[in-house]
Amino acid sequence: MPALTISSVDSTDAIPREAWDRLCPPGDPFLNADFLAIIERHGAAGPDWGWVPCHLTASDEQGRIIGILPLYVRFNSHGDFIHDWSWASVYQQLGRSYFPKLLSGLPHTPATGPRLLVAEGPQASTIRRALIDGAQSVASAHNMSSWHVAFPNEDDCNELRAAGMLISHNVQFQWLDSGCGDFDGYLATFAADKRRKVRAERRKVAASGLNIEVRHGNEIDPAEWPALHALYASTFDKFNNHAVFTAACFADLAPALGRRMVVFIARDGGQAVAVSLCFRSDETLYGRYWGCNGQYHSLHFELCFYQGIAYCLRHGLQRFEPGAGGEHKIARGFTPTVVHSAHWIADPAMRKLIGRHLDVQGDAVANYRDQAAAHLPFRCEN
């Protein structure tokens, strides 16, 4: 193959939109020029939150971009979901620096997908490997401790493993369509006692007098975002955390993403009192943010889980990923699913130490997945 040129740019906007559109998966709500560029412009993926873009491109001899690797210099681990806090602690105990590190992934978004953005073809693997080598070269040239790839899809994970990267394991709880048709059909797959519990929760929400709306991004007036944002931010305030997205950021994302943003809103007398902010591709719904300004029995389950499942069934989506964590999702039919990230550790001794840890982790995570799956609410078929 002719020589490739690997370059680094300091923003999503520095890469032509045509290249993003050509190389990103069609319909993906996060991996596209709109989402990444907007959150960078508004600072959610900016230096104030420990994200500095340095995306890699691979270009052919004619200067045409044929590969993209989203890449950020990270100065903390907030919002990347790879759970490397203990690694940073070990580095600190040894008197060494873990940060800055490099990360390829979606800021504040633990969604699985491609990370090595290359069009399929006979040279695809070569281009992917050039991007991998390029990221490792950036980390080495700047004396960074590591490079991480958060939640790559199976093809990219295999490519990264073949390149010698370590693979970590975690569990997310995901809803998978079993061909049940509608929500009643879905509940028919539950054991009787579990089915009664879900119906009781939904009745309590219905009896509360709240009205629930389902709106897409392009159906929300920009003037509504301050109130919706205040609900979103209230969840972070309750846990002494920080809401990185601003109302202006959401107001820009909504029309740009259009139907790729899905917002479930509960209203009391016309006033929004709770919100569940989701995103969607052609196959998957992604739950991201929840907020509420009052006490409403079972409303969290209704807005964050049941409305999302019903939406998937109406619109033919095959999967619902409601976000990281949350064993309470099991009782609502979200299956424990193993997800992976990949890691390049610069120091050989630390690489060996972390590698041993990940070998043990893999077995533990698989055991946890199996134990958690035993508590799913579905009927046992003998």
Side-chain angles (χ1 to χ4, degrees):
M1 180 177 180
L4 294 173
T5 299
I6 303 297
S7 304
S8 176
V9 299
D10 61 4
S11 71
T12 294
D13 282 329
I15 300 174
R17 172 175 289 273
E18 177 276 330
W20 287 106
D21 292 344
R22 176 164 40 85
L23 297 173
C24 286
D28 191 293
F30 308 115
L31 199 54
N32 60 77
D34 290 316
F35 181 81
L36 293 175
I38 289 170
I39 66 173
E40 287 174 13
R41 283 185 224 131
H42 284 274
D48 287 349
W49 296 107
W51 299 80
V52 176
C54 59
H55 308 309
L56 295 188
T57 62
S59 302
D60 61 19
E61 291 182 319
Q62 286 73 46
R64 184 171 186 257
I65 294 175
I66 55 177
I68 300 173
L69 175 63
L71 190 64
Y72 293 88
V73 179
R74 298 292 342 269
F75 293 93
N76 57 56
S77 290
H78 295 285
D80 59 33
F81 296 96
I82 60 173
H83 301 295
D84 59 346
W85 302 100
S86 63
W87 306 1
S89 179
V90 170
Y91 272 75
Q92 185 178 29
Q93 291 170 26
L94 294 174
R96 305 177 63 177
S97 297
Y98 187 66
F99 300 106
K101 65 181 184 181
L102 280 180
L103 180 92
S104 293
L106 302 169
H108 315 292
T109 309
T112 298
R115 298 293 178 260
L116 303 162
L117 305 180
V118 177
E120 290 304 319
Q123 304 301 329
S125 184
T126 300
I127 302 169
R128 291 191 183 99
R129 187 54 190 259
L131 290 168
I132 293 171
D133 292 344
Q136 293 175 0
S137 295
V138 171
S140 295
H142 293 86
N143 296 315
M144 295 185 188
S145 69
S146 50
W147 166 49
H148 310 266
V149 183
F151 308 106
N153 64 9
E154 185 176 1
D155 288 344
D156 282 359
C157 192
N158 289 337
E159 193 88 42
L160 295 162
R161 182 186 287 109
M165 295 182 67
L166 304 176
I167 305 298
S168 63
H169 321 268
N170 202 352
V171 168
Q172 293 181 359
F173 301 96
Q174 302 180 2
W175 176 86
L176 307 172
D177 184 14
S178 59
C180 48
D182 58 16
F183 200 90
D184 285 338
Y186 174 59
L187 284 187
T189 68
F190 281 35
D193 58 331
K194 306 295 185 182
R195 183 165 59 248
R196 284 194 295 270
K197 181 178 180 180
V198 172
R199 285 178 172 161
E201 290 173 343
R202 301 204 78 186
R203 280 197 301 271
K204 288 173 182 175
V205 175
S208 69
L210 298 175
N211 293 316
I212 295 178
E213 301 175 359
V214 183
R215 310 268 291 281
H216 295 98
N218 57 326
E219 298 167 337
I220 299 177
D221 190 291
E224 296 183 70
W225 278 112
L228 298 178
H229 178 269
L231 294 170
Y232 147 81
S234 69
T235 298
F236 293 87
D237 292 340
K238 290 174 186 175
F239 294 98
N240 295 316
N241 209 331
H242 302 286
V244 301
F245 291 94
T246 64
C249 183
F250 283 146
D252 280 355
L253 282 170
L257 296 179
R259 293 185 65 83
R260 289 180 291 176
M261 177 186 282
V262 186
V263 185
F264 302 99
I265 305 170
R267 295 188 184 275
D268 188 353
Q271 180 179 357
V273 296
V275 64
S276 176
L277 180 59
C278 302
F279 300 83
R280 60 161 291 181
S281 67
D282 294 340
E283 298 179 350
T284 304
L285 181 69
Y286 302 93
R288 293 305 304 122
Y289 304 111
W290 146 264
C292 182
N293 67 1
Q295 298 294 324
Y296 300 92
H297 198 292
S298 301
L299 183 57
H300 175 262
F301 302 137
E302 178 67 28
L303 227 57
C304 294
F305 303 146
Y306 303 143
Q307 285 290 325
I309 291 170
Y311 181 94
C312 289
L313 291 168
R314 289 196 304 273
H315 292 272
L317 306 187
Q318 301 302 304
R319 182 185 299 269
F320 179 15
E321 300 183 13
E327 290 185 340
H328 57 284
K329 297 168 185 171
I330 299 172
R332 280 84 195 172
F334 290 83
T335 299
T337 304
V338 175
V339 295
H340 302 95
S341 294
H343 313 272
W344 177 83
I345 309 298
D347 180 81
M350 295 302 295
R351 186 186 316 142
K352 186 175 181 180
L353 177 66
I354 293 172
R356 288 201 300 265
H357 160 70
L358 293 179
D359 287 341
V360 175
Q361 181 205 57
D363 292 336
V365 166
N367 289 335
Y368 171 74
R369 174 202 57 202
D370 295 342
Q371 293 171 12
H375 297 281
L376 285 165
F378 306 118
R379 296 195 313 266
C380 294
E381 303 290 347
N382 296 321

